Amino acid sequence: MSLKALMTLLAGLVFSHALFAASSSLQIPRPYVIHLLDGRAVSVNRLTAPRQLELTPGEHQLVLRFEASYRERGESRLISGEPLVITLRAAEAGALRLDFKAPRSYDEAQHFLERQPVRLLDLKSQRPWPAQIFVLPKQAGLQIGRDYQAELLTLGKAFGQPAPQPSSHPSGAPGADAPPQVPPLNGNNAPTLERLKYWYNRADPPTRKQFQHWIRSQP
């Protein structure tokens, strides 16, 4: 192995170790399944879905969904809830857990899903960890293939989405700034180039830098 290749390998190992050391773990007990992490899709297969995530220091957003099956009178009954959105700021090190009293029956699950009383718990101090938690509004009609990220963008609550800037003119005054128009999704329900340009131009410099770094890291 060449000296250059060896140095590259050692640098990668040091970076990986530092990244792992400066992260927090988050346990997600069943029957919650993670669908999005920081705006990106995560496998929804409950058998392989991560029960524990490693979060780098800083802000993160998760979209989870309660998806359970209960055996009653020899039959399996499926039940699921509306998506749960959690925004938190992870520390450099620590262990967190999604804390709730898991329903033991279909009827208990129905009652639980009326409010979804969950919290984040710091396992070391056994105290609640600060987080913003809310349920995505229920969608009318058949809910198959929902685009949670698009819904969050529409609500103005997506990960890294800048807060709307106040108008420099009084509401209704001549010359008042019109609210920006977000380019719509295309027919395939996928982000268009213009939509990506829109959010990039709306981002602050640190967010643009993070986005550029993410683009360069993609295969």
Side-chain angles (χ1 to χ4, degrees):
M1 179 182 292
S2 67
L3 179 60
K4 182 178 180 180
L6 180 60
M7 293 298 292
T8 301
L9 177 61
L10 290 175
L13 290 174
V14 170
F15 175 78
S16 299
H17 176 74
L19 183 63
F20 178 79
S23 64
S24 292
S25 65
L26 172 59
Q27 298 176 15
I28 305 174
R30 290 182 174 86
Y32 275 99
V33 178
I34 180 170
H35 286 256
L36 292 183
L37 173 61
D38 297 343
R40 301 186 65 181
V42 178
S43 171
V44 298
N45 189 327
R46 285 181 294 176
L47 298 179
T48 61
R51 295 292 102 198
Q52 179 168 298
L53 299 173
E54 295 298 329
L55 302 176
T56 55
E59 186 170 295
H60 295 278
Q61 184 182 74
L62 299 87
V63 178
L64 313 174
R65 194 176 184 194
F66 184 102
E67 300 176 8
S69 174
Y70 296 95
R71 191 81 176 174
E72 294 184 351
R73 300 183 183 89
E75 296 183 357
S76 293
R77 304 184 68 185
L78 303 177
I79 187 171
S80 59
E82 296 302 317
L84 196 67
V85 182
I86 302 176
T87 302
L88 72 148
R89 181 169 291 277
E92 290 188 358
L96 306 175
R97 175 185 172 88
L98 182 68
D99 186 53
F100 60 96
K101 184 178 180 181
R104 295 174 296 178
S105 68
Y106 186 89
D107 289 341
E108 286 187 10
Q110 283 185 311
H111 180 70
F112 175 86
L113 291 176
E114 291 176 359
R115 295 188 301 111
Q116 297 200 63
V118 306
R119 63 176 182 171
L120 291 187
L121 186 68
D122 183 343
L123 296 181
K124 182 177 181 179
S125 67
Q126 291 297 303
R127 294 180 178 178
W129 186 264
Q132 296 179 351
I133 304 176
F134 71 95
V135 178
L136 276 179
K138 186 174 182 178
Q139 300 293 304
L142 190 62
Q143 300 182 40
I144 296 179
R146 286 175 62 178
D147 189 335
Y148 300 137
Q149 184 65 4
E151 293 179 29
L152 287 168
L153 285 169
T154 300
L155 293 172
K157 296 183 178 181
F159 177 74
Q161 186 173 6
Q165 299 298 316
S167 171
S168 58
H169 300 278
S171 177
D177 296 334
Q181 297 298 313
V182 183
L185 297 177
N186 62 24
N188 295 324
N189 202 32
T192 64
L193 178 60
E194 292 305 316
R195 188 179 181 88
L196 294 174
K197 288 180 180 178
Y198 169 84
W199 290 116
Y200 181 85
N201 291 332
R202 294 273 294 169
D204 56 18
T207 302
R208 291 186 184 185
K209 194 170 183 179
Q210 292 177 5
F211 182 75
Q212 292 168 1
H213 176 73
W214 178 79
I215 288 293
R216 289 195 296 269
S217 68
Q218 300 308 298

